[in-house]
Amino acid sequence: MGGLILLFVIGLWLAFVIWLSIFITKKLPIAWWRIPVGILVSVALLPLPALDEIVGGRQFEKLCEENSTIHVNRATAVGKTVYLAQTSDVEIKGTWVRVVLKPRRFVDATTGETVVSYNRLQAVGGRFLKISEGHVPLTFNGTCEPGDQYTLEKLFKELNITLSRRPENNS
């Protein structure tokens, strides 16, 4: 259903851009450059609804590169029992689309010190293309984290780290 709505909205926008281009070029004096001006107006107007996602996607890619590392001190992490600590999400300011940084901290079950950590980024779709279910971006993948679950499992196995449930009295 969301796909049909998206196609309908794209069709409406395309029709509006063509109409506006014709309307603007008809105001110009009759000359050889009417058609090139109409094409330029169309090309300039077509990406406007997705502009925030286009720019936001580039910003998101840069943030992903900056947050693409799993932090672990291999010397002290060997043989630890850890749990996933509860952390607060951080909204990143200054981006064209809403981006939330979700810290993941695996802490030692006995000392409470961070053993393994990384950040997960989640982006929300742009202001104009809020058609998708779940408000995910339509022009780029809105989730980013270093590696994947397999990489984390492999790291834990390499270092003999045991993942346990978070204790009820710790937060």
Side-chain angles (χ1 to χ4, degrees):
M1 184 69 173
L4 291 175
I5 294 171
L6 178 61
L7 287 174
F8 178 72
V9 170
I10 289 172
L12 280 177
W13 180 250
L14 185 60
F16 174 73
V17 166
I18 291 169
W19 173 83
L20 189 60
S21 297
I22 292 169
F23 179 78
I24 290 172
T25 55
K26 280 189 175 185
K27 300 285 183 190
L28 299 174
I30 297 175
W32 66 270
W33 43 270
R34 222 181 204 188
I35 292 174
V37 168
I39 291 171
L40 285 175
V41 168
S42 296
V43 168
L45 291 175
L46 273 176
L48 283 182
L51 186 63
D52 57 349
E53 281 201 12
I54 293 168
V55 175
R58 292 208 170 107
Q59 291 174 331
F60 189 75
E61 275 182 35
K62 185 177 179 203
L63 288 168
C64 281
E65 288 173 15
E66 294 169 359
N67 289 280
S68 64
T69 309
I70 296 176
H71 302 280
V72 59
N73 183 342
R74 291 180 177 267
T76 60
V78 175
K80 300 282 185 177
T81 298
V82 299
Y83 64 90
L84 180 60
Q86 190 172 2
T87 57
S88 299
D89 294 348
V90 178
E91 188 161 341
I92 297 177
K93 302 292 182 191
T95 55
W96 280 49
V97 294
R98 183 173 179 254
V99 178
V100 177
L101 183 137
K102 299 173 179 250
R104 299 291 185 243
R105 306 291 178 254
F106 293 91
V107 299
D108 188 315
T110 55
T111 65
E113 293 179 8
T114 301
V115 176
V116 177
S117 66
Y118 67 92
N119 293 321
R120 181 174 194 268
L121 295 171
Q122 184 74 46
V124 177
R127 291 175 194 89
F128 302 110
L129 292 178
K130 288 197 176 183
I131 299 167
S132 66
E133 296 172 17
H135 301 292
V136 296
L138 293 174
T139 61
F140 65 96
N141 181 4
T143 304
C144 171
E145 61 185 305
D148 56 16
Q149 189 63 31
Y150 173 74
T151 305
L152 196 58
E153 288 175 13
K154 184 178 171 184
L155 176 69
F156 280 18
K157 190 172 185 174
E158 272 179 28
L159 299 176
N160 196 26
I161 296 173
T162 305
L163 182 60
S164 69
R165 294 171 51 114
R166 183 168 41 100
E168 295 297 323
N169 57 353
N170 289 340
S171 53

